[in-house]
Amino acid sequence: MSIPALILKSHCKFEQPRHGSLAFLPRKRAARHRGRCKSFPKDNAANPPHLTAFLAYKAGMTHVVRDLDRPGSKAHKKEIVEAVTVIEAPAMVIVGVVGYVQTPRGMRALTSVWAEHLSDEVKRRFYKNWYRSKKKAYTKYASKYSTDSGKEITRDLERIKKYSSVVRVIAHTQMSKLKLGQKKAHIMEIQVNGGTIAQKVDWAREHFEKTISVGDVFEKDEMIDVIGVTKGHGVTGVTARWGTKKLPRKTHRGLRKVACIGAWHPARVMYSVARAGQDGYHHRTEPNKKIYRIGKGEDVSNASTEFDLTEKRITPLGGFPHYGVVNEDFVIIKGSCVGVKKRVLTLRKSLRVHTKRSALENVNLKFIDTSSKFGHGRFQTIKEKKAFMGTLKKDLTEA
């Protein structure tokens, strides 16, 4: 007895998963350029007061070599090569504190207290046109510190201590330490966790006009979340935007389309149907990025390891493409992260309690690659390149 041909055709599919996730609707341009912290880690009064987030700038990517410490894996105790992202993080300046009270409709800002002196970098953020402005922002407010021995400032701080349930500091980046061509600082509220409300407010007041480095907020081997805006691709078609299948070659009026966008009735296009439109420049939160290293800007050997003792900095030969030289403190995280080069990123302490072995693993880097990222880099340092190439014609003309 022969088997019907219909049964043999196991490759015929009448159903398949949809193309693209509906979890990220609407796919439109982000309302803000800087990644926003929509929630902060849970507070624990037993810890000393500390910050829970930091602003940094994406420099580029490289790769590292390390020994994997993962019992049970075939690569256990063997060398592995991993891609990493370098994020430059100059020290931030704390310029204010905000107290929040809980209401039935969520949190409400009670009052804000600002520092006496604000730099021009942060003042630029309060103006649309700095060049034409009178640059008088906060001059009246600063006078509160000199009248009645700062009685009004003290009163506001006491109100925060008495009524608030959440305390956040206002901090801004130092653009003058970066070579991005931007002078206007990025500013954000960062929640202070740990200690009592009074201790949080006192900690914030003590740090007015002082800098906080990324090493004060995070530590090596910590898992963090990266919040930012993805690389923009403008308006794209349905095939690139949603990954739908292309139609056959001879299709009339184009083939990078969706053939049927819905039934006759209901007589409208459903929200779930893939359509052309904005692709990229979306606000995204990427959780669980492991910190492999927190480097100091002034350290001339900030890319050296115990196994690679060569004196070298994290900046590759020729600089990071489309970014330049990293002179300030930096963070190396595992894998990629959102955004183009120079994009401002919000690094936040993880909201979760991590129990996975990969999250708790102690990472010991053996080698950090600093060869040129513009082509096939051969040399780790300029010294190594000169030793191999010898004296060149351009060296003679310069001399």
Side-chain angles (χ1 to χ4, degrees):
M1 178 181 168
S2 63
I3 301 169
L6 190 65
I7 299 172
L8 291 174
K9 290 166 71 175
S10 60
H11 63 278
C12 278
K13 286 174 68 178
F14 297 101
E15 293 177 352
Q16 69 274 338
R18 64 162 288 112
H19 288 278
S21 173
L22 295 179
F24 300 103
L25 291 182
R27 291 200 180 196
K28 62 180 184 181
R29 288 176 61 81
R32 60 188 66 80
H33 185 72
R34 174 181 59 79
R36 178 184 165 209
C37 278
K38 298 182 182 179
S39 55
F40 287 94
K42 198 174 181 182
D43 196 4
N44 184 2
N47 299 329
H50 61 275
L51 295 185
T52 52
F54 205 84
L55 287 179
Y57 298 85
K58 182 173 176 177
M61 293 188 72
T62 183
H63 67 263
V64 298
V65 177
R66 69 182 184 97
D67 282 333
L68 185 68
D69 181 23
R70 198 171 295 165
S73 169
K74 287 185 178 179
H76 179 52
K77 291 192 174 176
K78 292 182 180 175
E79 285 188 351
I80 59 167
V81 180
E82 288 182 323
V84 293
T85 303
V86 179
I87 303 170
E88 191 169 11
M92 293 182 74
V93 182
I94 293 177
V95 291
V97 61
V98 188
Y100 286 89
V101 291
Q102 286 287 358
T103 72
R105 290 181 298 279
M107 287 199 304
R108 176 180 68 83
L110 176 70
T111 188
S112 303
V113 177
W114 291 79
E116 187 176 1
H117 304 102
L118 300 184
S119 68
D120 282 353
E121 287 178 315
V122 70
K123 282 183 183 176
R124 282 174 181 269
R125 180 57 63 183
F126 308 139
Y127 287 98
K128 196 74 177 171
N129 190 334
W130 174 256
Y131 168 71
R132 292 193 175 186
S133 69
K134 294 180 180 177
K135 305 173 179 56
K136 300 280 283 180
Y138 281 88
T139 49
K140 269 189 184 177
Y141 187 91
S143 64
K144 290 182 181 181
Y145 279 87
S146 54
T147 55
D148 293 341
S149 305
K151 191 176 178 182
E152 200 173 331
I153 299 292
T154 309
R155 188 200 68 197
D156 285 344
L157 288 171
E158 291 301 321
R159 279 186 69 215
I160 295 174
K161 287 181 185 180
K162 186 175 180 182
Y163 299 110
S164 294
S165 55
V166 171
V167 176
R168 293 177 184 171
V169 296
I170 302 167
H172 71 83
T173 57
Q174 300 184 82
M175 301 307 293
S176 58
K177 300 206 168 192
L178 296 166
K179 299 291 184 284
L180 297 186
Q182 181 176 324
K183 297 177 183 177
K184 186 186 292 189
H186 290 103
I187 187 168
M188 76 171 291
E189 287 184 11
I190 305 173
Q191 189 159 307
V192 181
N193 279 2
T196 63
I197 296 297
Q199 287 172 332
K200 292 182 212 284
V201 176
D202 290 338
W203 184 91
R205 179 67 184 87
E206 287 164 17
H207 287 80
F208 273 9
E209 299 176 39
K210 293 180 182 174
T211 57
I212 293 283
S213 69
V214 69
D216 299 331
V217 181
F218 303 112
E219 54 189 21
K220 183 180 166 290
D221 297 327
E222 188 178 347
M223 299 292 276
I224 63 170
D225 300 338
V226 177
I227 307 167
V229 175
T230 61
K231 182 192 287 188
H233 299 287
V235 175
T236 59
V238 73
T239 304
R241 192 180 186 217
W242 291 94
T244 55
K245 200 168 180 66
K246 285 165 68 177
L247 300 177
R249 182 183 61 83
K250 293 184 73 174
T251 308
H252 184 46
R253 290 182 183 159
L255 47 83
R256 295 175 67 90
K257 296 171 177 287
V258 172
C260 176
I261 59 169
W264 192 309
H265 287 292
R268 53 192 165 273
V269 180
M270 297 283 285
Y271 79 96
S272 56
V273 175
R275 308 288 273 161
Q278 173 67 32
D279 186 24
Y281 202 76
H282 305 308
H283 187 277
R284 294 288 180 264
T285 301
E286 282 193 315
N288 306 337
K289 300 287 183 183
K290 195 175 183 74
I291 294 178
Y292 277 3
R293 172 171 289 195
I294 296 175
K296 291 288 182 185
E298 65 271 11
D299 184 5
V300 293
S301 302
N302 56 26
S304 303
T305 65
E306 291 178 13
F307 298 88
D308 177 23
L309 299 173
T310 311
E311 186 181 288
K312 59 180 183 177
R313 300 178 74 93
I314 192 64
T315 307
L317 262 65
F320 282 104
H322 305 285
Y323 187 86
V325 180
V326 173
N327 291 318
E328 297 299 318
D329 294 357
F330 62 89
V331 179
I332 297 180
I333 62 167
K334 181 185 176 182
S336 61
C337 72
V338 297
V340 291
K341 316 295 184 296
K342 303 181 184 177
R343 178 80 89 225
V344 59
L345 301 172
T346 304
L347 311 180
R348 181 188 64 190
K349 284 182 174 290
S350 182
L351 303 182
R352 304 169 186 174
V353 177
H354 293 279
T355 54
K356 280 191 174 181
R357 273 191 310 183
S358 58
L360 303 174
E361 183 182 352
N362 185 25
V363 173
N364 187 20
L365 300 181
K366 295 182 81 170
F367 171 76
I368 301 172
D369 184 59
T370 56
S371 64
S372 173
K373 303 299 164 199
F374 201 84
H376 301 282
R378 295 170 62 189
F379 310 106
Q380 294 295 315
T381 60
I382 293 174
K383 191 177 178 183
E384 182 187 329
K385 183 178 180 180
K386 283 186 175 175
F388 181 85
M389 303 290 282
T391 306
L392 301 173
K393 190 177 179 181
K394 67 177 181 179
D395 298 331
L396 296 172
T397 53
E398 284 172 8

